[in-house]
Amino acid sequence: MKEKIKNFCHSLKRNGWKTEIRRIMNYIRFRKTVPDSYKEWQILNEPSQKDLEMQKKYESCLKIKFLVIVDDEKSISGLQEQTYSHFTVKCAKSKEYEKIIQEEENIDYVLFVGNHIHMYPFALYNIVKYLEYNDCYAFYTDNDEYSEEKGKRENPDFKPDFAYDTLLSKNYIGNFIGIKKNFLMKHTDILKNIAQEDPFYDILLRMTEILSRPNQIFHIDQVLYGKKAEENIQEDVQKRVIAEHLQRKHILYEAIENGKFPRQYHIVYSLKEEKPKVSIVIPNMDHINDLKTTVESIMNKSTYTNIEIVIVENNSKNKETFAYYEELKKKYDCVHVEKLEITYFNYSRIVNFGVEKATGEYIILLNNDVEIITPNWIEEMLMYVEQKRVGICGARLYFPDRSIQHAGVTIGIRGLAGHRYHELPESAFTAKDAVSYVQDLSAVTAACFMIAKENYEKVLGFDEKLAVAFNDVDFCLKILQEDLQIIYNPFVELYHYESKSRGQDDSEEKQKRFAGEYELFVKRWCKEIQRGDRYFNINYRLDTDIPTINYNRIR
């Protein structure tokens, strides 16, 4: 019985109440507890047989014509069943791409299709409908796994919109990409000397070198093909593709390491020789045992030495706290205590004051209840923030039991924003879970992140009208508006001793304060919330922290 309760609690955390209620109802009705959410999604979101017949009669106003390039026509299925018929198929190896494309006339888009692909009948039709409203240089789509023998579809891969750092960590886009022919003919270098073993990854990275805004590679968030088998691409091949890309962009790096799971990578970028000063700003009110753990872990574990620690004292009451401050200042020359005269708690005001007092070129905002795990945690964040295109680099935070406290923030969860994979045990991590590789995200927690002081000041710091809630998410969204990337780096690991069972703010005053901050945040970012997080797929539900199929009608 205990084991059943434990399994139910784990399932509840992963899937949410909505799914659990459906499981119970299914058991009552059918004596089966596990609904096939993906099958339900297909029924609601994909065309019926009648719809497919209607698609065959459709004439595109743009009369878009495709050239579909495959390596081995025998390994591709579904082309003959396409409801949109304006396409030509050619077999070619990567070294022949340029010649084949030049020879074909009246082609609008080239569709590069890898081996072991099954295209669903509505694939080209849906692409055409998308292109009629979106003029893009390139596109990719979602996919699932397709069993040819069983005719079964499972394990959908719902992808984020284009994310450069995510792509460098793994080829999440896959081997099904479309590119405008005119663009390829204008930039023929894209197709010259590409990696024969993995041309798709090579082409994608080469495109990012040319496009002024890599997000001009569009994402069609529909499942249009199934993988019949994984392509056997060696990790050394993909690491070579990444290395050559970085060399062409003149980006210095120390190593390209294997990630936690196969075909995931960790790039160790080179740091600037001058080793800039990094200021670690830590707000504190009493709780000296927590603060001691934080400071000692910084001083004893950090391998980066050009640092200062700015403790922002606010409203401490205990004499022991001030005695500990004096002890710290005597023990470590790099520790400074700055007292903020304030009679109420306002996190935004506190960190703004700390950053104002900081003398470092780069700032780390850090909670006073964390413990450093990764010795080179500062270097791991600094190597990203030193890149001009990056605004913030955040970390992976654990609860003491090694379950996830923070692995990035998704905009729109429960109508606002939520921590991804919250409370997911480390033992439950899989290759599909987006927790173990570097990614571009919309927001990260201020419990631990790094930013250049210049960029902090550019957006005028944290909004002090958001005293407690939503201030770090608000800050991150302001950084995104400056065309700066926000990086989640799981190779920066800390414990966060925030209690899982911590009570909610339930006093009348706190509820009133929260309501005001909620209203301000929603008014300011309502368009972003309504549009949806670019790094979170629309086909996932918004009522759970762990990505789960949204089995409702999406469009």
Side-chain angles (χ1 to χ4, degrees):
M1 188 65 181
K2 287 183 179 179
E3 188 64 27
K4 288 183 178 179
I5 293 172
K6 183 179 178 182
N7 290 340
F8 174 78
C9 291
H10 178 70
S11 178
L12 180 63
K13 287 179 182 178
R14 188 172 186 96
N15 301 317
W17 277 106
K18 193 172 181 180
T19 293
E20 292 311 307
I21 291 171
R22 289 170 67 89
R23 282 160 57 89
I24 294 168
M25 294 302 295
N26 277 350
Y27 183 76
I28 293 170
R29 293 169 62 194
F30 310 117
R31 290 296 184 266
K32 293 181 180 179
T33 60
V34 182
D36 188 342
S37 298
Y38 185 43
K39 187 66 177 176
E40 293 184 50
W41 180 92
Q42 292 172 50
I43 292 169
L44 290 171
N45 293 285
E46 292 185 347
S48 64
Q49 191 59 44
K50 183 180 178 181
D51 294 329
L52 293 176
E53 293 302 319
M54 292 292 290
Q55 289 179 10
K56 292 177 182 178
K57 301 174 184 177
Y58 181 75
E59 287 293 333
S60 169
C61 59
L62 299 180
K63 302 189 184 304
I64 296 171
K65 188 174 181 181
F66 296 96
L67 169 62
V68 181
I69 296 183
V70 300
D71 179 57
D72 179 5
E73 199 167 356
K74 293 179 181 179
S75 73
I76 310 301
S77 56
L79 276 169
Q80 303 308 316
E81 289 76 36
Q82 292 300 304
T83 57
Y84 186 83
S85 59
H86 300 297
F87 66 92
T88 303
V89 182
K90 293 288 183 180
C91 288
K93 300 296 183 183
S94 56
K95 60 184 178 182
E96 303 170 310
Y97 285 172
E98 186 178 359
K99 179 184 176 184
I100 291 290
I101 294 168
Q102 286 176 339
E103 289 175 350
E104 288 295 319
E105 297 180 354
N106 302 319
I107 294 296
D108 298 294
Y109 281 88
V110 180
L111 188 60
F112 296 93
V113 181
N115 291 327
H116 313 298
I117 294 290
H118 177 76
M119 290 175 61
Y120 297 122
F122 45 85
L124 291 181
Y125 171 85
N126 282 19
I127 291 171
V128 167
K129 293 295 287 182
Y130 183 85
L131 294 176
E132 286 177 346
Y133 293 94
N134 299 276
D135 184 21
C136 60
Y137 292 122
F139 61 84
Y140 62 97
T141 82
D142 297 341
N143 67 274
D144 59 15
E145 295 175 6
Y146 176 75
S147 171
E148 206 160 18
E149 292 179 2
K150 300 177 183 177
K152 186 179 180 181
R153 297 170 56 185
E154 57 189 356
N155 300 326
D157 186 3
F158 295 133
K159 303 164 187 175
D161 286 354
F162 186 81
Y164 174 67
D165 294 280
T166 309
L167 184 63
L168 284 174
S169 299
K170 60 176 287 192
N171 180 10
Y172 74 92
I173 288 175
N175 57 353
F176 186 94
I177 52 176
I179 305 176
K180 211 171 196 177
K181 181 187 175 182
N182 290 347
F183 181 82
L184 286 171
M185 292 298 93
K186 185 177 180 181
H187 303 284
T188 54
D189 285 350
I190 291 176
L191 301 175
K192 292 186 185 301
N193 302 316
I194 56 177
Q196 294 185 33
E197 307 94 328
D198 192 0
F200 301 93
Y201 200 19
D202 204 355
I203 288 171
L204 284 165
L205 291 178
R206 287 169 185 246
M207 286 197 70
T208 66
E209 299 161 21
I210 295 169
L211 294 172
S212 58
R213 295 172 62 88
N215 59 8
Q216 290 168 313
I217 300 174
F218 282 37
H219 168 220
I220 302 174
D221 49 15
Q222 302 172 44
V223 176
L224 301 186
Y225 70 97
K227 291 194 296 184
K228 295 187 284 187
E230 286 288 345
E231 291 208 62
N232 186 25
I233 297 172
Q234 299 299 314
E235 290 183 335
D236 286 346
V237 171
Q238 292 193 324
K239 287 162 79 170
R240 188 180 74 242
V241 168
I242 296 169
E244 291 173 354
H245 164 71
L246 296 175
Q247 289 162 11
R248 288 192 298 268
K249 291 192 71 174
H250 306 292
I251 297 174
L252 301 178
Y253 67 95
E254 303 297 323
I256 301 173
E257 302 171 345
N258 290 336
K260 181 177 176 64
F261 295 101
R263 289 187 285 279
Q264 294 180 5
Y265 307 104
H266 172 218
I267 301 173
V268 181
Y269 293 101
S270 300
L271 295 173
K272 293 179 180 177
E273 291 183 6
E274 56 266 27
K275 296 290 188 295
K277 181 189 279 190
V278 175
S279 298
I280 304 171
V281 175
I282 307 175
N284 188 67
M285 184 184 77
D286 294 322
H287 296 283
I288 59 173
N289 290 332
D290 290 336
L291 180 61
K292 185 174 183 179
T293 298
T294 301
V295 173
E296 293 302 325
S297 71
I298 293 170
M299 300 308 300
N300 295 330
K301 293 184 180 179
S302 300
T303 53
Y304 193 88
T305 55
N306 190 14
I307 64 172
E308 68 170 355
I309 299 176
V310 179
I311 298 172
V312 184
E313 154 56 33
N314 62 100
N315 290 320
S316 291
K317 304 295 189 294
N318 300 331
K319 292 181 180 179
E320 294 83 358
T321 302
F322 296 96
Y324 177 62
Y325 290 157
E326 294 303 315
E327 179 186 327
L328 269 179
K329 288 189 287 185
K330 289 178 182 177
K331 187 176 181 181
Y332 301 116
D333 292 338
C334 64
V335 174
H336 312 287
V337 178
E338 302 290 346
K339 186 174 182 180
L340 174 63
E341 298 294 342
I342 190 171
T343 58
Y344 55 93
F345 181 76
N346 185 320
Y347 177 82
S348 298
R349 175 76 186 98
I350 292 165
V351 295
N352 285 345
F353 178 79
V355 172
E356 183 183 326
K357 296 295 183 181
T359 60
E361 186 179 345
Y362 295 93
I363 304 293
I364 294 177
L365 297 187
L366 195 68
N367 273 24
N368 67 342
D369 57 352
V370 301
E371 180 180 358
I372 309 303
I373 298 173
T374 310
N376 65 333
W377 67 295
I378 295 176
E379 292 95 326
E380 278 284 346
M381 291 193 286
L382 185 59
M383 71 182 187
Y384 280 101
V385 179
E386 279 188 337
Q387 299 179 45
K388 293 298 184 183
R389 65 183 180 82
V390 175
I392 295 173
C393 184
R396 178 162 69 187
L397 306 181
Y398 295 103
F399 287 113
D401 64 359
R402 298 285 294 190
S403 63
I404 291 292
Q405 192 274 332
H406 168 268
V409 174
T410 298
I411 306 303
I413 294 292
R414 298 181 182 87
L416 289 170
H419 283 199
R420 306 182 317 151
Y421 298 95
H422 192 245
E423 298 188 9
L424 178 69
E426 184 181 30
S427 59
F429 292 0
T430 67
K432 191 173 182 180
D433 293 323
V435 293
S436 299
Y437 53 91
V438 171
Q439 295 152 71
D440 302 284
L441 293 180
S442 292
V444 291
T445 181
C448 177
F449 76 47
M450 180 186 285
I451 184 172
K453 188 173 183 180
E454 175 187 8
N455 288 330
Y456 191 97
E457 293 171 341
K458 183 186 292 185
V459 297
L460 305 179
F462 276 51
D463 187 343
E464 295 179 16
K465 293 189 288 296
L466 296 171
V468 180
F470 315 118
N471 41 45
D472 50 0
V473 180
D474 175 81
F475 182 81
C476 287
L477 292 175
K478 290 194 295 183
I479 289 293
L480 285 181
Q481 286 187 330
E482 297 294 324
D483 277 337
L484 296 169
Q485 296 300 116
I486 294 173
I487 304 296
Y488 159 69
N489 188 345
F491 299 97
V492 179
E493 297 181 301
L494 299 85
Y495 287 114
H496 190 187
Y497 295 111
E498 174 189 60
S499 173
K500 284 187 181 181
S501 58
R502 184 178 64 181
Q504 301 296 313
D505 291 342
D506 53 6
S507 71
E508 185 177 346
E509 181 184 352
K510 289 179 178 178
Q511 287 181 342
K512 186 176 179 181
R513 183 265 307 155
F514 178 84
E517 293 177 359
Y518 172 93
E519 183 180 6
L520 175 59
F521 181 83
V522 171
K523 280 184 177 179
R524 180 175 293 165
W525 302 110
C526 59
K527 290 182 180 179
E528 284 73 15
I529 294 170
Q530 185 177 16
R531 183 169 59 238
D533 194 317
R534 71 184 79 172
Y535 303 117
F536 189 76
N537 196 291
I538 192 174
N539 295 299
Y540 286 132
R541 286 164 46 186
L542 292 171
D543 61 346
T544 176
D545 298 314
I546 297 174
T548 306
I549 295 172
N550 184 349
Y551 37 67
N552 297 309
R553 186 180 294 277
I554 308 299
R555 52 180 65 79

